[in-house]
Amino acid sequence: MTRWIPAAVAATTLASANPVCAQGLNELRKLYDAGQYQQVVGAPADDPRVAFLIAQSQQKLGHRDEARAAYEQLAARGADDPWHDIGRSAVAVLGANPGEAVEAASQAAAHGDALAEAHFQRGLALSVAQDMAAAAAAFERATELDPSWADAHYYAGLAYSKVKRIDLMAGHFDTFLKLAPQSPQRPEVQSIMRTLGK
């Protein structure tokens, strides 16, 4: 057992550089985008990006305790790891503590500027804090870093709709619909676009 733990730590450290893990993440995102959250939560969480997606899937399923536990595992990573602050922020969002959520997510984005999830989490935290203009900018950065992430486009579109940037909202929603044609959010997005004449 003690030999397995270092191997798992090594796998986590190398996961972001491993194209097989990236392919696994893409497959899990397709399941997530199609609303197949139960299949996502059964995946091995040895990559922090996968662990984050599993936690989000737990939230979608209404399993707050499981989501919190998954985010707390991310928060248990080293303080110099942006995933530590992403986890802290997500736990604060679940605990309805927007100030702490924004502060932790801002630290994550500062330490992990090239990590789309850091900006995505910052967007979620800013949304809870009702700062929709800043949330839109954070989600925009997440989509720039990871253009194929449907959920980032979805939340960017929602944030832009709140600040009446209909042109930017429409672009992100169009991309979302192309990336996630089976999404449970599809009817909501189509309804928003019809209401706003897009």
Side-chain angles (χ1 to χ4, degrees):
M1 186 78 171
T2 49
R3 288 184 155 193
W4 181 81
I5 293 171
V9 171
T12 300
T13 305
L14 298 174
S16 59
N18 185 340
V20 174
C21 290
Q23 183 179 4
L25 176 66
N26 290 338
E27 291 305 312
L28 288 172
R29 278 192 181 161
K30 286 178 188 174
L31 291 171
Y32 178 91
D33 292 342
Q36 297 179 23
Y37 310 120
Q38 196 62 52
Q39 289 184 271
V40 176
V41 300
D46 53 356
D47 178 322
R49 297 178 83 192
V50 171
F52 185 70
L53 188 61
I54 289 171
Q56 290 183 310
S57 297
Q58 294 284 18
Q59 280 186 264
K60 293 282 190 182
L61 290 166
H63 303 161
R64 289 179 56 86
D65 292 342
E66 292 87 344
R68 179 183 302 278
Y71 289 134
E72 285 173 346
Q73 286 186 332
L74 289 173
R77 296 170 69 90
D80 58 341
D81 185 334
W83 287 104
H84 165 76
D85 292 314
I86 291 170
R88 282 190 330 116
S89 175
V91 169
V93 166
L94 284 176
N97 187 341
E100 184 179 330
V102 171
E103 183 268 330
S106 295
Q107 287 182 3
H111 291 125
D113 184 55
L115 185 62
E117 287 85 354
H119 297 281
F120 181 83
Q121 181 59 41
R122 187 166 181 268
L124 293 176
L126 288 161
S127 296
V128 170
Q130 299 298 307
D131 187 345
M132 298 313 290
F139 291 127
E140 184 74 44
R141 179 71 176 135
T143 64
E144 290 168 0
L145 291 167
D146 192 346
S148 65
W149 190 2
D151 225 28
H153 287 285
Y154 169 72
Y155 282 104
L158 287 179
Y160 280 125
S161 75
K162 302 284 187 192
V163 295
K164 309 291 190 240
R165 287 300 312 268
I166 306 309
D167 54 334
L168 296 173
M169 175 211 75
H172 283 289
F173 278 167
D174 282 339
T175 302
F176 167 76
L177 292 171
K178 288 175 187 160
L179 291 171
Q182 304 299 318
S183 173
Q185 284 82 26
R186 184 179 185 84
E188 172 197 6
V189 168
Q190 290 173 323
S191 174
I192 292 170
M193 292 181 75
R194 275 195 303 273
T195 300
L196 297 172
K198 289 291 174 185

